[in-house]
Amino acid sequence: MLNPMDEIGSDPLESPPAAPSPSAPPPPPLPAAAGEGSSTALPAGLQKLDPRWISMRRVFGWIRVAVYLVLWIIATLILTLSGPAPWILVTVVGAGALWVVLMAVQAHLWPALSWRRAAYRLSERDLEIRRGVLWREVVTVPRSRVQHTDVSQGPIERSFGLGTLLIHTAGTDHSRIGLPGLAHDTASVIRDHLVEVDEDDGV
C-alpha cells in the first residue's frame, strides 16, 4: 500500500535546523482548513492536515478492498472448479475472506488514526512534519536544503480539493519528501514560501 507520506528524506533528518536570522521572512498565513477548529489542541505553531484527507484515504482504501474482493472471488471459483481436498478449499477460502475483512477494517479506521498523529509546522527557516501511528517520526526540512517544490493532485485528490506538497532537497538518497493531506491553496502557499529566495540561506 503506497503512501506518499512514506517517501521520507534522510538528509533533512540529519541536518540540524539553521539558526534564526533577523532578515528571514516570516511564514505566510495559511488558509484555514475545512473543519478546522474541531481538531485536537496542538502545540503552538503546529497545523493539522485537512480533515478531508480522512475521507479521501478511505476512498483509496475501499478501492483496494474492492479489487482484493474481486480477486478473491475469482480465485475461489477457480479453486472450487479444480476439485481440491475439502480442507484445502476451506483453508484457502477462509484465509482470503479474513484478509478482506481485515483490509476493510483498516480502510475505515486507519485514515482517522493517521490524521490524528499527523501535523506540520512552517517557520521562517524550515518545515517540520510529524506523522506515524505506531512509529512516530519528526522530519525537519531546512529551507536552505530545498532545491525545488511541486504540488501534485491526482483525480481523487482534486475531487476533495486537496493536494500533495513534494519537496526535493539537496542530497542523493531519499531526497524527495511528500506532505499529503493539504488543501490545495495551503500547499501552494507553503510551496511558494519554501522556494522564496533568502540572501542568508546558503546551500
Side-chain angles (χ1 to χ4, degrees), residues 10-199:
S10 59
D11 289 341
L13 284 171
E14 298 170 356
S15 303
S21 167
S23 62
L30 300 177
E36 196 173 29
S38 59
S39 58
T40 306
L42 294 170
L46 278 179
Q47 302 287 330
K48 296 294 292 181
L49 300 181
D50 194 292
R52 291 174 291 183
W53 185 70
I54 300 174
S55 299
M56 191 202 73
R57 293 305 306 173
R58 283 176 176 160
V59 169
F60 278 114
W62 284 113
I63 290 175
R64 280 197 300 270
V65 171
V67 170
Y68 276 101
L69 182 61
V70 170
L71 294 176
W72 173 68
I73 292 174
I74 294 174
T76 299
L77 290 175
I78 294 175
L79 185 63
T80 302
L81 293 176
S82 65
W87 70 270
I88 295 179
L89 181 61
V90 171
T91 301
V92 173
V93 173
L98 178 61
W99 180 252
V100 172
V101 171
L102 292 176
M103 288 193 64
V105 172
Q106 185 205 36
H108 184 74
L109 297 181
W110 198 259
L113 294 175
S114 296
W115 180 83
R116 289 172 188 164
R117 297 294 186 181
Y120 66 94
R121 188 201 317 266
L122 183 65
S123 69
E124 295 88 345
R125 287 295 184 178
D126 55 42
L127 174 67
E128 176 185 312
I129 302 172
R130 301 185 179 194
R131 54 195 174 197
V133 176
L134 299 179
W135 284 268
R136 306 303 310 279
E137 183 176 44
V138 179
V139 180
T140 301
V141 185
R143 288 181 62 200
S144 60
R145 300 292 300 274
V146 175
Q147 292 190 321
H148 65 278
T149 59
D150 298 308
V151 176
S152 68
Q153 262 192 322
I156 298 179
E157 283 183 305
R158 192 161 51 248
S159 68
F160 280 90
L162 300 176
T164 297
L165 177 68
L166 299 174
I167 307 168
H168 302 267
T169 64
T172 55
D173 297 328
H174 308 293
S175 58
R176 184 170 176 263
I177 302 169
L179 178 59
L182 299 174
H184 187 264
D185 291 345
T186 301
S188 299
V189 169
I190 298 175
R191 176 199 60 194
D192 295 342
H193 174 69
L194 290 177
V195 297
E196 282 178 355
V197 176
D198 182 354
E199 62 182 6

